[in-house]
């Protein structure tokens, strides 16, 4: 089954409630994962899209994700809500 929701910061699938970040009120976020977003704020406020690309690439390689999937994720990043200034 293909994931339907992806973190709008790092592309991690967040269809599973255990992967979702939290809002200030403790509710689950439908936009961000638990690694990027907790209690209504980003866990790394000073993160840049370039730095995120480096982290994602390394994490995906460590998990032996195929190169084509890594490439798709990295290309998706600039269009995600956190990084696309036109959507903010």
């Amino acid at each position: 089954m293909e994931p339907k929701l992806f973190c709008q910061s790092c592309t991690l699938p967040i269809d599973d409630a255990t992967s979702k970040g939290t809002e200030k009120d403790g509710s689950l976020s439908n936009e961000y994962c638990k690694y990027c977003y907790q209690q209504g704020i980003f866990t790394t406020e000073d993160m840049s899209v370039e730095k995120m690309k480096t982290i994602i690439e390394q994490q995906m390689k460590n998990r032996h994700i195929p190169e084509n999937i890594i490439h798709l994720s990295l290309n998706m990043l600039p269009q995600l809500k956190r990084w696309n200034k036109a959507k903010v």
Side-chain angles (χ1 to χ4, degrees):
M1 184 168 85
E2 290 286 320
K4 293 182 181 177
L5 294 175
F6 293 90
C7 176
Q8 292 296 302
S9 176
C10 73
T11 74
L12 182 80
I14 56 171
D15 289 334
D16 185 331
T18 61
S19 298
K20 293 181 177 188
T22 56
E23 300 294 347
K24 283 185 181 183
D25 64 3
S27 64
L28 296 177
S29 172
N30 285 321
E31 294 185 329
Y32 300 106
C33 75
K34 65 183 178 182
Y35 303 108
C36 293
Y37 195 72
Q38 295 176 9
Q39 298 176 349
I41 59 171
F42 290 110
T43 57
T44 51
E45 291 282 332
D46 61 342
M47 181 69 69
S48 67
V49 71
E50 292 80 19
K51 189 173 179 182
M52 182 64 81
K53 282 183 179 182
T54 301
I55 292 168
I56 290 171
E57 184 173 22
Q58 189 60 52
Q59 290 296 318
M60 292 177 98
K61 284 181 178 182
N62 289 346
R63 290 181 173 88
H64 307 288
I65 305 285
E67 282 294 323
N68 65 320
I69 302 297
I70 294 172
H71 183 73
L72 286 172
S73 290
L74 296 177
N75 285 339
M76 241 174 90
L77 272 182
Q79 292 141 38
L80 298 177
K81 186 174 181 177
R82 183 174 185 183
W83 311 113
N84 186 332
K85 302 300 184 212
K87 292 183 181 179
V88 176

